[in-house]
Structure formats: structure tokens, C-alpha cells
Amino acid sequence: MVQQPQTDCQASEPEHRIGRAEKDIVALGVVVAAIILFVGTGSAVMTDLVRAYLGAGIQADRLLGNALILNIALIIFGWRRYVELTREVGDRRKAEETASRLAQTDPLTGCLNRRSIGPATAAMLADAQRQGTAVVVMMIDLDKFKRINDIHGHQSGDDILIESTRRIRAMLPERALLARLGGDEFACVVPIDRAHSEHVENLASLLNEGIASPIQSGSLELDVTVSIGLARSDELLSGVDEEAAQQLLHMADIAMYQAKKGGRNRYYWFEASMEKELRFRSELEAGIRAGIPAGEFVPYYEKQIDLEDGRITGFEMLARWNSPAHGMISPEVFIPIAEEIGCISELSETLIAQALRDAREWDPSLTLSVNISPVQLRDPWFAQKLLKLLISANFPPSRLDIEITESCLHENVGVVRSLITSLKNQGIGISLDDFGTGYSSLAQLRTLPFDRIKIDRTFVSTLGSSKESSTIIEAISSLGRGMDLPITAEGIENKEVLALLKTFGTFKGQGFLYGQPESGEAVRRMLAEQNLLAIAPVPGGPTTPDLLAPLRTATGS
Ligand code: C2E
Ligand code: MG
Ligand code: MG
């Protein structure tokens, strides 16, 4: 059985008990005094009273007689009061015990709660110190629990929490503590023998395996895995108080977060370097939130080239973050964080709006490609939002191309299909980005109406050096020909790669051979030199045709 702790909510209990005991003693004292009085006066008066009653001619003392009756009444009253008080005290003690249990436990699972785990852990740390042993905190978090709640409802979520608790409890050693800290996060505190710390690792593996078997919820069988962070009390600098307990819980939490990042369904031990990484990460999160409205995110542009004649056909917009605290940061770092903290749509829309303003100044033959996150694809209003941006920038949809990475097709193929169809209906082009890395099936490719596929840069840049890369590029080229899908090759870094690539067919291409991605201003200068800027409408000349008229009708703006 997992231990239940004494918590601070019990601290004032002894005072209450003393007060109640005093009342008990007063009531009992009254009864005892009344009995002594009864015995003292009764022995003298009772005989006379009985005789007077029997008519023996003896006059009983009336005053003493009345006192005796009063004395009897006092005994009865005092005794009843004593019994009532004892019952009242018992009831109150039970109610206080229930309230204190509720204050320390989680009502759904019966585990300890966030408030009570700190003092309980501190008590265990103090015990361990006395006995020369150690304590390990295991932070357990269910993977993707929110998704289960969202898809299958809160009842299924509750079923999972209750069953997971039962499984965890069954695996924990007898003296361990188990708390639910909120949501899907549990903390176990386990006393360990320093000589056998491998027992904890065995326990963590058992928990990973044990929870991973399907959980029944109504007619559903749901799969859950857990990520576990472990922290040992030996890592604490000092103390066995509540502050030390909180620090140990915090360390296990950091390790758990790393276990999630490391791929979930695993356990990690806490290491000091993790704390630094976490601090950096929370700085980035705060920086992203503040940086979007402050205009720190800017679009850069990479040239897209027709490999046959070397002509620029357009640009791919690539996000850059000029962070005041950390300098230039790669989108591969900040895009996943923006996705996780729910800022990606705001960030992407700000960038696209700026890119459309920049691209409006380019020659009308040049296209603009933008990358879209899988999170945005799940937004039912995404197509509408994009059309609004096009309208306010007065940019023709036929010059815009959306890049969707191949890896997001697995989860969302139905959603992606309807989104692609609606965007295509508005004239926007759709490319499948990073092709070759996401294992999409031929059947998917056939049913999704892409306009173009982009071969991932890892295959292109290793074209001369890897046999596997050339086989893959050859396969993708013949697939493109067979399905009548034009291809763009990313990551052309040198002339050798370019020459080899051309032996496989006709492509568009992009890569460092044609230059690094550049700011809007630099692109504008380069286009001006090549006479590739849009010609400003001549005042009084023929008006430009309104390319957005159909969109305005569609969006009602
Ligand atoms: P991507 O869409 O595949 O973009 C191409 C990436 O390859 C860019 O990295 C580009 O700088 C890099 N690259 C271009 N030519 C070469 C080359 O010759 N060799 C090598 N090794 N690399 C080359 P970048 O700018 O760091 O972007 C990385 C990824 O971040 C992009 O991959 C895209 O998936 C994502 N990303 C960038 N901007 C955005 C955005 O605004 N929204 C979203 N959702 N994702 C974005
Ligand atoms: Mg791309
Ligand atoms: Mg790519």
C-alpha cells in the first residue's frame, strides 16, 4: 500500500483536541462532584426521608430533601451532557479527518495532490537522511493525453487516469508515495538503497511497459504511453526540508520534459545541463511571444531557378528571427516552439503579409513560395485567412505557392485533401516539400492534387557522394514524369551536383550555388539590377486588370 502523509493542514489539530478534552473533563467533573455530594448528603438524609415516607412519625428536613432531589437531577443532567459531548467530539473528529483527507488527496484517483506531496517528500527525505539511504522522485506524464481528451471526450480521459493510477500503484514498492499533480502528471517518491539504485531503473522500465498496454474505456481500447523523469536526492545540494523536496520534484520534471523531447515512452535521469537548456527554451518562448508584435521576425528569400536556362522563376520565403537576446535564430529552432506554444498562425500570417508586400514589387512572372506548418493545416479557417491576406496585399493567387511538408500527410490526409482542393480552386499552387523523407505512399500522392514535388535537400546535396541518393533521385524523377508532376530540387550546393542532377531530367532548383537566402531589401536591389521589378502603373495609362475579383466575391470582401 502506498503511504499517506501527515500534512500541514493537520498542524492545529492538537489545540482543538485540548479544547474538546477540557469540555469533556468539566462535564465529567460536574457529574463526579454531584455523585460525591449525593453520597455525602444522601447517607444522612435518605434514612429520615424513607422513614417519614413510611409514616414513622419522623419529620424529615425539607431543605435537605430538596437538595437531594436537585442533586439527583444534577447527576442525570451532567451525565447526559457528558455523553452528548463525547458523541459530538467523535463526530467532529471524523468530519475533520475527512476534510483533511480531501485536502490532501486527488478526488478522481485517490492519490496525494500537489499540496500534500511536498511535505510528504520532505518527511521521506528526513527519514532517508537518518537511515543513510536516498530518495528518488519519478515524474510520470502521459503522452499525448490532451489529444485523447479532445478526440474521445473527458470520460475516456478519466478512465485512462484511473486505470493508469491503478497500474502505477500496483508496481510501486510499499513505502512509496504517489501523487497526481494535476492533468496527466503523476509524481512517485521512492526510498532507495544506494547500493541498489538499479532497482529504480527497473521500476521505470516496468512503468513504461506496464502502462503501454491498451486501456479499456467503454467500447474503446486506447493506447497510452508515459514519459518519465528521474531525480535522485544525492543530486540535491543540501536540506531535507520542503524546499529541497520541491527542488527534487522540479529536477524530475525537467528530466521528464527531456524524455518527451527524446521521443516519449522512455525515462531520463536528471542532468544539470538539462536545466540550462530548459531556461534557454523558456527564454525563447517568451522571446517569440514578444518578438512577433515587435517585428523581430522577418522574411528572407531564396531564389528558385529554372535549371534549363538559369532564369529566376521566383523565391521561397524563409523565416528569420533577429532576436535581441540571442542574435539570428534558425527557423528549425523557433518554428517547432512557435507551433507548441500556439503562436505559429500569428507568426506565419505576419510573415506572409510582409512577403506579399515585398513580392508585389517583383516582376509579375516571379512566384512566391511559403512554408505552411501542419498546425495551420488543421485550422478550418486557414484558406479563408490566406485569401484575406492576398486581397489586402492585392496579390494574384496564381503567383502564390504553398509548401506542405511530406511528414504532415500521415495524420491529416483527409484535412489536407480538402484544404488543398479549396486553395487550388482559388488558383493557389501547392507543392509537396521535403519529398523523400516522409514515406508518403504512391496512393496518397495520386489522390492529393499537388502541383509540384520538391526533392529534399539531403538527397540532392549528397548526390555525388552517395549511391543511395542518386537511386532515390532517379526514382523520384521517373515518378514525377509518370504522374506529370514537375519537380524542384532543393540544396544544390555546387556545379558538380547541378551537372549530375541534370542527367536525371528537367528540374527547377534552388540552393547555395545560387546564393544564400537574402532580406527583402537585398532581393529588391538584385531584381532592380536585372530589370525584374514590377513596372509602376503609368498615371493615366490603362488600368491593371483586377486579378482578385473572383476572390473578393468568394470571401465577400
Ligand atoms: P525548407 O522549406 O526545406 O527550406 C529550405 C531550407 O534549406 C532552408 O533552411 C534553406 O536555407 C536551406 N538551404 C537552401 N539551400 C541550401 C543548400 O544548398 N544547402 C543546404 N544545406 N541547405 C540549403 P532554413 O531557412 O533554415 O529553413 C529550414 C526549414 O524551416 C524550412 O525547410 C522550412 O521547413 C522551415 N521554415 C522556414 N520558414 C518557415 C515559415 O515561415 N513557416 C514554416 N512553417 N516553416 C518554415
Ligand atoms: Mg520549403
Ligand atoms: Mg524543403
Side-chain angles (χ1 to χ4, degrees), residues 7-24:
T7 63
D8 54 359
C9 61
Q10 289 175 317
S12 57
E13 180 80 337
E15 283 168 31
H16 283 220
R17 287 222 181 107
I18 290 166
R20 276 185 242 126
E22 272 171 2
K23 282 183 198 162
D24 274 6

Side-chain angles (χ1 to χ4, degrees), residues 316 318 371 403 433-434 454 490:
E316 175 175 2
L318 296 163
N371 294 285
E403 295 192 6
D433 202 1
D434 303 339
K454 295 184 74 175
E490 305 178 318

Side-chain angles (χ1 to χ4, degrees), residues 98-111:
T98 311
S100 139
R101 187 162 31 80
L102 287 177
Q104 312 174 35
T105 54
D106 161 48
L108 181 69
T109 59
C111 297

Side-chain angles (χ1 to χ4, degrees), residues 109-146:
T109 59
C111 297
L112 301 179
N113 59 21
R114 185 179 282 281
R115 239 180 53 187
S116 56
I117 190 65
T121 308
M124 194 175 275
L125 281 172
D127 266 0
Q129 195 184 47
R130 274 193 296 276
Q131 292 160 15
T133 56
V135 168
V136 167
V137 169
M138 309 176 82
M139 199 62 79
I140 304 176
D141 195 281
L142 305 187
D143 298 325
K144 302 188 176 171
F145 178 72
K146 186 176 177 302

